Amino acid sequence: MKKAAAWGLCAAWMAVIFFMSAMPGEVSGEQSGTLVNLLLGAIEAVGISQESVNPALLELLLRKGAHMAEYAVLFLLLFRALRLSGVRRPGLTALLLSAAYAATDEFHQMFSEGRGPSPVDVLIDTAGAGVGWGVLMLLSKRPKALSKEEG
């Protein structure tokens, strides 16, 4: 039952990514613009002048950071499902599957109004999956280190 649920979560997250990519470019841009304006307001609220922040750079970092985050989550979900399925190298397999899904997602964007494929985004998405793997490795080693200190 756990294995089926783990694969179901993978499929659900892949569907989220798919539907986000299916949004027309104008809608995606509006969402990014709204978040940038909220961030600029927060920056100003803490006493930093908005003139010292480049809104275009902030939007780029936000968009690419979102790519990385969504693929870090995908990696973690795939890793769990693969491990529960008894795959011998779940980390490498999850990374390769994440990269493959990123490539198909960019191809899918060719059919979304106002969007197009970007090989750079495939690399960014794959790097996000790599970040997910790194976080997983850090978290999995931490409890071992703590138990050694306590013992």
Side-chain angles (χ1 to χ4, degrees):
M1 188 67 165
K2 280 185 179 181
K3 186 173 19 172
W7 283 111
L9 287 172
C10 291
W13 190 249
M14 292 167 110
V16 167
I17 293 171
F18 181 90
F19 288 114
M20 295 290 284
S21 293
M23 280 186 208
E26 185 177 312
V27 173
S28 179
E30 286 174 12
Q31 288 179 339
S32 297
T34 299
L35 287 174
V36 166
N37 288 334
L38 287 171
L39 285 172
L40 288 172
I43 288 168
E44 192 169 61
V46 297
I48 300 171
S49 168
Q50 281 192 12
E51 287 78 35
S52 64
V53 178
N54 180 339
L57 178 60
L58 184 60
E59 182 174 3
L60 177 69
L61 292 173
L62 180 70
R63 291 177 75 87
K64 300 312 172 187
H67 272 261
M68 291 185 80
E70 69 188 8
Y71 278 85
V73 169
L74 179 61
F75 171 86
L76 294 169
L77 292 172
L78 286 168
F79 179 88
R80 182 168 187 270
L82 290 162
R83 192 183 62 190
L84 288 171
S85 298
V87 171
R88 185 173 165 197
R89 299 186 71 185
L92 179 61
T93 305
L95 183 69
L96 293 173
L97 287 173
S98 295
Y101 192 72
T104 63
D105 184 54
E106 289 302 315
F107 177 75
H108 164 240
Q109 286 185 35
M110 287 176 33
F111 306 101
S112 299
E113 181 184 329
R115 300 188 75 167
S118 168
V120 171
D121 280 352
V122 174
L123 294 174
I124 290 169
D125 296 341
T126 304
V131 167
W133 195 357
V135 167
L136 180 70
M137 290 177 69
L138 286 172
L139 293 176
S140 67
K141 291 181 185 217
R142 184 176 171 129
K144 292 176 189 173
L146 289 175
S147 66
K148 287 179 186 176
E149 290 172 12
E150 292 172 4

